[in-house]
Amino acid sequence: MNAVLLWLVLATSVVAMVMVVVHLVRDETAGDPTFAALAVAEVLLLVQAVVGSVALAGTDREISGVTFASYLWSIVLVLPIGAFWSLAERTRAGTAVLLVALLTVVALQVRLQTLWTAGA
Amino acid sequence: MRELSSGPGRVLVAVYAVFAVAATGRSLVQLGTQADRAPLAYSLSLLAALVYLAATSCLLVGGRRGWWAALVAVLVEAAGVLVVGTLSYVATDLFPDRTVWSHFGQGYGFLPLVLPVAGLAWLRRTAPGRASAGAASR
């Protein structure tokens, strides 16, 4: 697993989270900069899914391949679905959905790393 | 009567959906790869998954029937997390492996314990009988 990618994903997610929290506090809907940050995170997650799958195929670690791969590819779905669900209601609650999606990404990311290192 | 999946309900649906997917994935992997290791724990994982799926769908469907079905799902969920949470401390031999509801959802930041409370609070606010009161106060 690529540690640089892991940290990039976490850093981007945290930046996006801060932006979302600012929106929540000011009671405004998320604008283009926030969705741009989400898009960056999504691209990183897609790269991670590909890199991670390649790493999984070539590793000798004792990793449950099914679980690891399902985490790897489930993460990719979280932000698009979250953004879609958020945009359906342009209110504070809709913005809060973005926070839920980002927290989910971070939780899955941590879990992914645990799965990888546990097999070392 | 307010839409079950709008406002705070929208956030609730998002969190329930995450748990539905997480619990379904977990129980399917557990039952598919090592079913005989902890049949009770893994069956409860599957039950948790079904309850989360039911709660998510009921909130999405909405309406009077959706509200009642959601209430049943959330009550089963509350009972499940309390019973399994207690048993996982008291009768450790029953749970050789963890489930979503073990130790009151410790592995999931205790969210499984908070979620039914949030669910019940939301259902209370959207209760069919309170429709007129809600409209009057707005």
Side-chain angles (χ1 to χ4, degrees):
Chain A
M1 268 298 282
N2 194 318
V4 178
L5 267 175
L6 170 83
W7 286 108
L8 278 176
V9 170
L10 288 180
T12 318
S13 305
V14 170
V15 170
M17 262 190 245
V18 171
M19 294 168 92
V20 170
V21 169
V22 170
H23 288 311
L24 283 174
V25 171
R26 291 189 187 158
D27 195 8
E28 37 180 54
T29 52
D32 288 347
T34 307
F35 281 100
L38 291 172
V40 172
E42 180 62 20
V43 170
L44 288 170
L45 289 172
L46 280 166
V47 173
Q48 185 189 50
V50 174
V51 172
S53 300
V54 173
L56 178 66
T59 187
D60 298 329
R61 289 162 185 255
E62 295 273 316
I63 292 175
S64 160
V66 179
T67 311
F68 188 77
S70 63
Y71 270 89
L72 212 46
W73 290 97
S74 307
I75 303 185
V76 171
L77 301 175
V78 175
L79 291 180
I81 296 175
F84 176 80
W85 188 237
S86 163
L87 283 169
E89 187 183 313
R90 301 288 271 157
T91 63
R92 197 179 233 169
T95 311
V97 169
L98 293 178
L99 193 62
V100 173
L102 285 163
L103 285 170
T104 308
V105 166
V106 170
L108 289 176
Q109 199 69 19
V110 171
R111 185 86 183 99
L112 196 61
Q113 187 61 18
T114 314
L115 283 175
W116 183 261
T117 46
Chain B
M1 182 170 168
R2 283 181 75 180
E3 275 294 323
L4 275 179
S5 62
S6 70
R10 181 163 292 268
V11 183
L12 211 52
V13 168
V15 181
Y16 264 111
V18 170
F19 271 90
V21 174
T24 307
R26 174 172 208 154
S27 60
L28 288 184
V29 168
Q30 286 176 330
L31 286 169
T33 57
Q34 39 188 6
D36 24 347
R37 199 178 139 208
L40 177 66
Y42 296 160
S43 309
L44 283 169
S45 273
L46 187 64
L47 173 72
L50 293 175
V51 168
Y52 286 128
L53 281 174
T56 313
S57 338
C58 293
L59 288 174
L60 279 176
V61 170
R64 187 176 281 266
R65 271 198 204 154
W67 188 91
W68 281 106
L71 181 67
V72 173
V74 174
L75 285 176
V76 172
E77 181 201 353
V81 70
L82 289 176
V83 170
V84 173
T86 312
L87 280 179
S88 61
Y89 280 108
V90 181
T92 38
D93 51 322
L94 281 179
F95 296 93
D97 199 7
R98 301 166 72 90
T99 75
V100 184
W101 287 337
S102 299
H103 307 109
F104 302 110
Q106 194 186 31
Y108 296 81
F110 292 107
L111 272 177
L113 193 58
V114 179
L115 207 48
V117 179
L120 286 176
W122 177 239
L123 287 173
R124 187 157 180 265
R125 261 179 64 183
T126 53
R130 284 163 61 100
S132 50
S137 66
R138 253 179 299 149

